[in-house]
Amino acid sequence: MVLDVSRWGRYQDPDQAAHYEFLCREAGVSVRYCAEPFEDDGSPTMNLLKSMKRVMAAEYSRQLSDRCRAGLRRQALAGGSTGGWPPFGFARQAFELDGTPGRILAGGERHGFNQTVRLVPGPAEHQDTVRLIFRLYVHRAMGPTAIANLLNERGTPFHRPGPWGEARIRCVLRNEAAVASTRSIAPPCCWARSNAIRRTSGSASSCAIRSSRRGSSRPRSPS
């Protein structure tokens, strides 16, 4: 039993929903829609209405996805956090609608009513670890795995459960906010970046910063 056609699946291809219903019927399982005005009697009128409902469900899903993406984009452009764990070296802070800063939010803590969340610099020891990662990567030419092993040997904690690993080091190197916090010598106006689509490649050095200066393919941080 299904509430309505849209709950069966808001597939962008309406034939996909019909295919799954056909598989159920072939297996001897009857699909019943509780909140639909038509009777599932196999008549041409029922099939026509069901097809229209499937197209409407797919269109609703597409429009909802577009609105969600637009809302997240507006929030990100305004400097707000779009959810999830903050990157290493940063923290989530609640702000009032007039811009008045509030408290630092703990992991999993929600902001209050009529508040927004922005990423701010985290604890000082985490910021020092971020700068250490960039120094090891840039000046000592250490790879992500070697850096992770060194941090684990030193007992440097990560802000989430588990030890340091290659993937976590790469996330720090690819975080553009962390690159800016290391005060790269190339100003933002010289970054050869596309404002429409920002893509990251598999190389941590190319993901860390894009500079138009010749010979500066890696981010630099103060020693």
Side-chain angles (χ1 to χ4, degrees), residues 16-82:
Q16 187 175 1
H19 171 70
Y20 291 142
E21 185 173 345
F22 170 77
L23 293 179
C24 291
R25 187 165 57 251
E26 285 289 303
V29 178
S30 177
V31 179
R32 299 294 180 181
Y33 300 100
C34 303
E36 294 295 353
F38 53 80
E39 293 290 338
D40 194 3
D41 54 1
S43 63
T45 302
M46 184 273 298
N47 291 330
L48 179 61
L49 289 176
K50 192 183 295 186
S51 299
M52 293 178 58
K53 292 273 188 177
R54 288 168 181 159
V55 174
M56 293 169 59
E59 181 65 15
Y60 172 77
S61 177
R62 186 190 64 80
Q63 292 180 355
L64 182 62
S65 177
D66 291 342
R67 288 194 294 267
C68 290
R69 283 198 300 266
L72 291 175
R73 176 179 172 81
R74 287 194 300 269
Q75 187 172 355
L77 292 176
S81 173
T82 56

Side-chain angles (χ1 to χ4, degrees), residues 71-151:
L72 291 175
R73 176 179 172 81
R74 287 194 300 269
Q75 187 172 355
L77 292 176
S81 173
T82 56
W85 280 82
F88 183 81
F90 295 85
R92 299 184 306 129
Q93 184 174 7
F95 284 81
E96 303 295 338
L97 295 181
D98 58 359
T100 304
R103 69 185 186 282
I104 299 295
L105 302 178
E109 184 180 1
R110 296 179 178 272
H111 61 84
F113 185 70
N114 288 334
Q115 286 184 333
T116 59
V117 177
R118 301 177 187 176
L119 292 180
V120 296
E125 57 271 17
H126 288 184
Q127 299 182 44
D128 293 339
T129 302
V130 171
R131 295 187 177 94
L132 174 62
I133 292 174
F134 276 89
R135 283 198 299 268
L136 295 175
Y137 181 76
V138 176
H139 298 296
R140 298 189 184 180
M142 294 179 63
T145 302
I147 296 176
N149 293 335
L150 178 61
L151 295 178

